[in-house]
Amino acid sequence: MKLVLATHNKDKITEIKALLQELPIEIYTFSDFDNFPDVVEDRDTLEGNAEKKVREIYEITGMPALADDTGLFVDAMNGEPGVFSSRYAGENVTYADNREELLKEMIDIPEGKRDAVFKTVIVLIVNMNGNYVVEGRCEGYIGFKEKGNMGFGYDSIFYLHDSGKSFAELTLEEKNKISHRGRALQKIKKVLEEITK
Ligand code: IMP
């Protein structure tokens, strides 16, 4: 089976490829196409955005497609940055800008009240008969400063309750075992295993 990953994000591609590597699937990414669009994520839910991404890519490539959409939801911030996680500090910002903005906005929120959850929704489209939708979550809290230098996005300020480590202190393998995307991918992997049997 052929599968297109509906994303331009190289960090995500690395994580997804690592998790699906044992399956009999030929993975394609944006670099395999000349006309790969940059789909605008303008829906107000993770599922809406992921659905929009796979549908557009499926229509253009004619191949089964998989998209994920992720958000970091902070309890004390009424769920922000949430669906707007990639542009929390504004348009065309860096990961570091978003982290800095979140730390600044949360400066007065005390320890013990900084809980947050990463959520990933993955949508898989194989044909026109409907989509498969799965969700993965990972609970933690936002630290007061950055720690670790692996990963991407908000990894260095997202800490795990059990170990007190940030995501940026975990290897890719360690992160994939417990992360929102890792958990969602494990679920979609089961679906793909069934389909490719
Ligand atoms: P996207 O819309 O799914 O690309 O994700 C939105 C934003 O969430 C990204 O720009 C990253 O800043 C952040 N993000 C997504 N996945 C992760 C992750 O695994 N760790 C840390 N930040 C992430």
Side-chain angles (χ1 to χ4, degrees):
M1 178 181 162
K2 292 180 176 171
L3 182 68
V4 191
L5 304 185
T7 180
H8 280 92
N9 184 322
K10 292 189 178 143
D11 299 304
K12 282 189 187 175
I13 292 171
T14 307
E15 288 193 4
I16 296 171
K17 276 187 168 171
L19 264 152
L20 299 182
Q21 65 185 348
E22 312 108 62
L23 296 184
I25 292 177
E26 234 177 286
I27 293 186
Y28 291 78
T29 66
F30 66 91
S31 54
D32 298 306
F33 302 89
D34 294 332
N35 54 346
F36 203 83
D38 206 356
V39 181
V40 181
E41 297 181 11
D42 55 4
R43 302 289 159 84
D44 54 11
T45 61
L46 299 177
E47 184 175 340
N49 279 330
E51 213 276 329
K52 185 178 178 196
K53 286 188 265 190
V54 275
R55 190 152 294 276
E56 282 194 32
I57 300 301
Y58 178 74
E59 278 164 10
I60 285 166
T61 63
M63 286 159 67
L66 181 150
D68 87 323
D69 201 45
T70 296
L72 174 63
F73 297 79
V74 181
D75 292 359
M77 305 281 294
N78 296 317
E80 280 188 14
V83 185
F84 303 104
S85 293
S86 60
R87 50 207 143 103
Y88 186 54
E91 295 299 326
N92 303 317
V93 292
T94 63
Y95 287 147
D97 295 333
N98 284 330
R99 289 194 298 268
E100 207 176 294
E101 178 69 15
L102 187 57
L103 288 179
K104 197 177 83 193
E105 288 293 324
M106 291 184 65
I107 202 153
D108 293 326
I109 299 173
E111 207 178 329
K113 295 206 182 322
R114 299 173 69 92
D115 283 2
V117 57
F118 263 119
K119 293 183 202 171
T120 292
V121 172
I122 293 181
V123 178
L124 168 70
I125 183 167
V126 179
N127 54 43
M128 285 313 274
N129 298 333
N131 300 330
Y132 297 90
V133 181
V134 296
E135 189 190 273
R137 290 171 176 237
C138 183
E139 285 170 13
Y141 62 97
I142 304 301
F144 285 93
K145 57 180 170 54
E146 304 206 19
K147 199 156 69 119
N149 50 20
M150 289 184 272
F152 69 99
Y154 296 93
D155 278 351
S156 59
I157 60 170
F158 181 82
Y159 290 62
L160 298 160
H161 288 294
D162 288 352
S163 61
K165 279 188 177 178
S166 81
F167 260 170
E169 293 181 285
L170 305 185
T171 62
L172 183 57
E173 207 185 352
E174 289 168 337
K175 182 183 168 192
N176 271 343
K177 274 192 196 137
I178 54 162
S179 78
H180 43 298
R181 187 172 306 98
R183 286 179 171 146
L185 278 165
Q186 292 296 351
K187 291 185 188 172
I188 211 69
K189 194 174 168 186
K190 292 215 172 81
V191 174
L192 284 162
E193 271 164 1
E194 280 301 310
I195 295 173
T196 55
K197 243 183 200 169

